[in-house]
Amino acid sequence: MDITKLVRSNILELKPYSSARDEFSGGASIFLDANESPYPTQYNRYPDPHQRKLKQRIGQLKKVNENQIFLGNGSDEAIDLLIRAFCEPGQDEIVIPQPTYGMYSVSASINNVITRAVTLTSDFDIDIHKTLAALSSNTKLLFLCSPNNPSGNLLNYEKVIELIEKIDGLVVIDEAYIDFTSSSGFVPLLNKYTNLVILQTLSKAWGLAGLRLGMCFANVEIISILNKIKPPYNISVASQLIAEERLNDEEGKDSRVREIINQRDRLASELIKLKSVERVFPSDANFLLVRIKNAKEAYITLLERGIVVRDRSTVLLCDDCLRISVGTPVENQKLLKELSQL
Ligand SMILES: *Cc1c(COP(=O)(O)O)cnc(C)c1O
């Protein structure tokens, strides 16, 4: 697929901002090029706009070439930049299976880009016929979230492949929760499909939601377009340093993930025993979608007891559903106790 044909013409022609640190690379001991303060405060220098060291580490971890990695201020920045790079406002279209993560359609609306919603099947999987029917010659992006938020399930692998192969645009697979599954996801297919874009994040399994670091993996052409339009210093010095340090503790991350998976499975088996709970949807993520009698009331009662969960009861296919993040063993126990008293 010719990626340049998908890019908006103004973006293709854009001459990007060239920062002081872009124009100079090499060794120097006196930096008088960027109007920074010369006095060390730990943060007096601008960050590396290309985040080279951090990308090196991420590349090792994910077995991805460094020039196939884009880093954003959260995945949310990558979502926004993908829309701005590829979708001509008022003309191009984005297809979004529903229900899913809300930021895709919010970002599309902010950019005045048309969205086509396609309802997932009743078990929250891709409806292949409806999705193919929603694609048109104006479709530039298809967002797929796997494991899906708010349902927690992985999407069917073969259906995803079929869509990647049939679409004349990009397929963006959001794998924010991929560490909580045994699936290796779609990163291994990065070099097979030029129209494949994968989003991951340090916000969930890595426990760094406050840091704001999202990762986007794709072929070099797509990555260079994102780099061209991002704000030059989008990842702060502090974020880069902290992320580099934390990414060295993969074992720590893995052991916390194992604990969360254990707690998730225990929570699911305890929840289904409760009178008020009608269904606990299977989850490959760090949360559970739970159908419960009088969800709205349950939500308010939990709040009164100091526990906040996500009320999804007005969301498509999620009638009477709460989305509950897996907490610590003590927190989960408290949740079960309060729910059992409803
Ligand atoms: C939590 C979440 C993210 C994370 O977004 P960040 O901006 O990286 O914190 C991305 N996608 C989905 C589906 C999520 O649920």
Side-chain angles (χ1 to χ4, degrees), residues 74-76 101 104 145 149 174 176-177 201 203-204 212-214:
S75 315
D76 293 344
Y101 186 49
Y104 319 134
C145 186
N149 179 1
D174 187 341
Y177 301 98
T201 178
S203 294
K204 308 288 157 64
R212 310 307 302 130
L213 235 155

Side-chain angles (χ1 to χ4, degrees), residues 197-218:
V197 180
I198 294 155
L199 302 177
Q200 293 189 7
T201 178
L202 300 190
S203 294
K204 308 288 157 64
W206 287 94
L208 296 171
L211 207 58
R212 310 307 302 130
L213 235 155
M215 303 172 279
C216 175
F217 308 112

Side-chain angles (χ1 to χ4, degrees), residues 54 57-64 68-79 82 101 104 143-147 154 171-190 196-209 211-218 223 226 235 247 250 253-254 257:
L54 182 52
R57 178 70 192 124
I58 292 172
Q60 289 168 347
L61 270 174
K62 302 287 175 183
K63 301 184 176 62
V64 171
Q68 292 184 293
I69 305 172
F70 167 83
L71 299 179
N73 184 10
S75 315
D76 293 344
E77 183 174 33
I79 293 167
L82 283 164
Y101 186 49
Y104 319 134
F143 278 96
L144 299 175
C145 186
S146 181
L154 278 165
V171 175
V172 183
I173 307 180
D174 187 341
E175 297 187 334
Y177 301 98
I178 198 68
D179 297 80
F180 301 101
T181 81
S182 51
S183 160
S184 48
F186 288 88
V187 170
L189 298 186
L190 216 49
L196 174 60
V197 180
I198 294 155
L199 302 177
Q200 293 189 7
T201 178
L202 300 190
S203 294
K204 308 288 157 64
W206 287 94
L208 296 171
L211 207 58
R212 310 307 302 130
L213 235 155
M215 303 172 279
C216 175
F217 308 112
I223 296 303
L226 297 178
I235 310 290
L247 287 173
E250 198 182 10
K253 183 266 293 180
D254 287 341
V257 164

